[in-house]
Amino acid sequence: MQNKLTNYIFLLFCGFTLLTSCTNTDDPTITPIQFAEVEYQGVYELIIGDTLKITPEILNLPEGASFEWSKNDESIATTQSLNYVPQIAENFTLKFKVTASNTIERSYQIKLIDPYALYFRSKTETSTEFITKIMEYKPAPGQFINAGFGTPEYAEKIIGNKTNTLSLGAWGGYVIFSFDHTIENRVDQKDFVVYGNAFKGLSEPGIVQVSFDENGNGLADDTWYELAGSNYFKERTILNYETTYVNPEEYANVLWTDNKGSADNVTVNTYHKQNYFPLFIAEKKEVKFKGTRVFPIVNPGSYVTIDALEWGYVDNYDAEYSTYGGNAMEIDWAVNIQSKSVKLKGIDFVKIYTGAQYNAGWLGELSTEVKGASDLSMVK
C-alpha cells in the first residue's frame, strides 16, 4: 500500500509540472529536484550577436547534479546557467536537462533575427558616393596636428569630396566616418575606395577597420573587424599592439612607449613649431592607441622612400592605386579579433588608422593621410 501511494503522489507531481519530465527514484527519503516555477519564459527573440542568458532556478538540487543544454539535440553546454551567442539567423529548439536522483527537462524556442534585415540602409535617389559624416577624429601626435590639415575643423573637409587632405599623425591615429547608406558587400567585387596622397616611393600605409550598425543606434559602437591586408599574417607584423604618447605641453619631441618594451619620439622639425600632441582630444596628458602595426620597407637616405605594401592598405601606392585613384577595399577581407575570416553583408562605419611607426627625418613622422572615400557601386 505504501509503495502504491508513493507512486501515485509521484505521478500526480509529474502531471502538474509543465514541460518537465521526472524519473522515479523509488526512495521516499530522497526529495526529487524540481524547477522553482512552473511557468517560465519559453520563447526568446534575439538579434545575431546578442548573448542568450538563461539561469533556471532548481529546488532540492544536490551536489553532483549534471546539466545539459542542447540545440536541436546537439549538446552546447553542461552548466546550470547558459551564456550562448548564436552566430546565424535561424530558429531552433533549446532543451535543458538536469539529472540527479530524478531527471527534469525544459524546452525553449529561440528565434534569431538578422540585424541586416532590421538596420540595412538602402541607397536612395539622393544618396551620395562620398563620406557624409565624420564620427570621430583622433590623431596621434604629428607635425600637422593642431594646425594645417590636422584639426577637427579640417576633418570635416573630407566630407562629400576627395580633394582635401587629413593627417592621422603617427601610428594609431585614426578617423571614423560613415556614408548616408550601408555599403553593400558585392560578390567578387571591391566595395569601397579610400583616397590618399600616395605616390611611387612614398606610401604611408593606413589600416582599415569596418563595422555594421548592428544595434541600429547610428553610433559607431558596434563590433569592429579589421580588413586583413597583405601584411596582416606576416611574421613581423604585430597584432594587439599598443602605444602611449605623452603630451610634452610645448613644441618638443613627443615621447612614446609601447607594450613591447620599446620607446622613442615623434620628433619635431623646424617647419612646424606648434605642440604636436593633439590638444583637442579628451586625453590631455597622454593617449593610448591599440591595433596592428605593420612594417613597410623604408629606404633611408637624404630623401627617404617608403615602398608600398602589396594590397589592402590606405595611402599606399599599390598596383591598383592608379586604376581607382586610391585604395580599393574588399569587405570580404574582414577578420575578427581571433583573426578568423567573417562574412559581412554590408558595413556602415569605416575606421582608418596609421599602421606604421617611423621617423623619416626632415620629412617628419610616417603618417597616413586620407582625402575621402567612395562607395564603388556608385562610382561611374
Side-chain angles (χ1 to χ4, degrees), residues 169-272:
W171 182 88
Y174 64 83
V175 62
I176 299 174
F177 54 80
S178 65
F179 300 82
D180 61 10
H181 59 279
T182 300
I183 304 297
E184 188 173 2
N185 186 356
R186 303 187 297 170
V187 178
D188 298 327
Q189 296 183 74
K190 301 291 177 60
D191 303 302
F192 63 98
V193 57
V194 181
Y195 306 108
N197 65 350
F199 54 88
K200 187 174 182 180
L202 187 58
S203 291
E204 299 178 282
I207 293 172
V208 181
Q209 294 183 322
V210 295
S211 179
F212 177 74
D213 188 12
E214 58 192 19
N215 59 18
N217 67 357
L219 303 176
D221 58 359
D222 309 274
T223 305
W224 285 102
Y225 302 95
E226 188 150 304
L227 299 190
S230 58
N231 279 45
Y232 183 86
F233 292 103
K234 291 198 172 180
E235 183 176 356
R236 195 180 182 193
T237 297
I238 305 175
L239 306 180
N240 303 312
Y241 185 67
E242 299 179 9
T243 293
T244 300
Y245 299 93
V246 180
N247 185 355
E249 300 186 358
E250 60 179 340
Y251 163 67
N253 293 344
V254 181
L255 172 69
W256 62 261
T257 57
D258 65 19
N259 61 342
K260 301 300 180 181
S262 297
D264 206 334
N265 293 280
V266 176
T267 306
V268 296
N269 57 47
T270 59
Y271 304 101
H272 306 277

Side-chain angles (χ1 to χ4, degrees), residues 38 45 59 106 128 130 145 157-158 170-171 178 195 203 209 221 228 251 257-258 299 307 325 366:
V38 173
E45 289 190 356
L59 302 178
R106 270 189 175 167
T128 173
F130 295 113
I145 307 307
K157 293 188 177 185
I158 67 170
W171 182 88
S178 65
Y195 306 108
S203 291
Q209 294 183 322
D221 58 359
Y251 163 67
T257 57
D258 65 19
N299 307 293
D307 294 347
L366 188 156

Side-chain angles (χ1 to χ4, degrees), residues 28-254:
T29 65
I30 297 177
T31 304
I33 59 174
Q34 58 181 299
F35 292 110
E37 296 179 349
V38 173
E39 296 184 359
Y40 66 99
Q41 181 178 345
V43 178
Y44 288 82
E45 289 190 356
L46 304 170
I47 294 177
I48 297 174
D50 288 348
T51 300
L52 176 62
K53 297 182 179 181
I54 306 177
T55 305
E57 185 179 351
I58 303 167
L59 302 178
N60 311 317
L61 188 64
E63 293 184 8
S66 64
F67 311 95
E68 183 179 33
W69 295 89
S70 59
K71 171 189 172 184
N72 295 337
D73 297 324
E74 179 181 349
S75 180
I76 60 171
T78 56
T79 55
Q80 180 176 348
S81 297
L82 178 70
N83 287 273
Y84 180 67
V85 182
Q87 297 298 324
I88 60 175
E90 62 178 348
N91 299 333
F92 62 89
T93 298
L94 183 68
K95 293 183 179 180
F96 177 53
K97 181 170 70 174
V98 188
T99 302
S101 57
N102 60 303
T103 297
I104 57 176
E105 295 182 342
R106 270 189 175 167
S107 295
Y108 304 85
Q109 298 302 314
I110 312 300
K111 181 179 180 180
L112 269 295
I113 302 171
D114 188 341
Y116 290 97
L118 295 177
Y119 304 126
F120 190 94
R121 298 175 301 136
S122 300
K123 293 190 288 287
T124 69
E125 292 182 355
T126 60
S127 293
T128 173
E129 69 181 74
F130 295 113
I131 296 169
T132 56
K133 186 175 182 179
I134 301 298
M135 310 298 293
E136 185 179 7
Y137 173 53
K138 189 174 183 178
Q143 61 183 318
F144 298 109
I145 307 307
N146 302 317
F149 45 90
T151 66
E153 295 76 20
Y154 206 92
E156 298 292 320
K157 293 188 177 185
I158 67 170
I159 293 174
N161 62 77
K162 54 180 180 179
T163 58
N164 296 295
T165 303
L166 180 68
S167 174
L168 304 185
W171 182 88
Y174 64 83
V175 62
I176 299 174
F177 54 80
S178 65
F179 300 82
D180 61 10
H181 59 279
T182 300
I183 304 297
E184 188 173 2
N185 186 356
R186 303 187 297 170
V187 178
D188 298 327
Q189 296 183 74
K190 301 291 177 60
D191 303 302
F192 63 98
V193 57
V194 181
Y195 306 108
N197 65 350
F199 54 88
K200 187 174 182 180
L202 187 58
S203 291
E204 299 178 282
I207 293 172
V208 181
Q209 294 183 322
V210 295
S211 179
F212 177 74
D213 188 12
E214 58 192 19
N215 59 18
N217 67 357
L219 303 176
D221 58 359
D222 309 274
T223 305
W224 285 102
Y225 302 95
E226 188 150 304
L227 299 190
S230 58
N231 279 45
Y232 183 86
F233 292 103
K234 291 198 172 180
E235 183 176 356
R236 195 180 182 193
T237 297
I238 305 175
L239 306 180
N240 303 312
Y241 185 67
E242 299 179 9
T243 293
T244 300
Y245 299 93
V246 180
N247 185 355
E249 300 186 358
E250 60 179 340
Y251 163 67
N253 293 344
V254 181

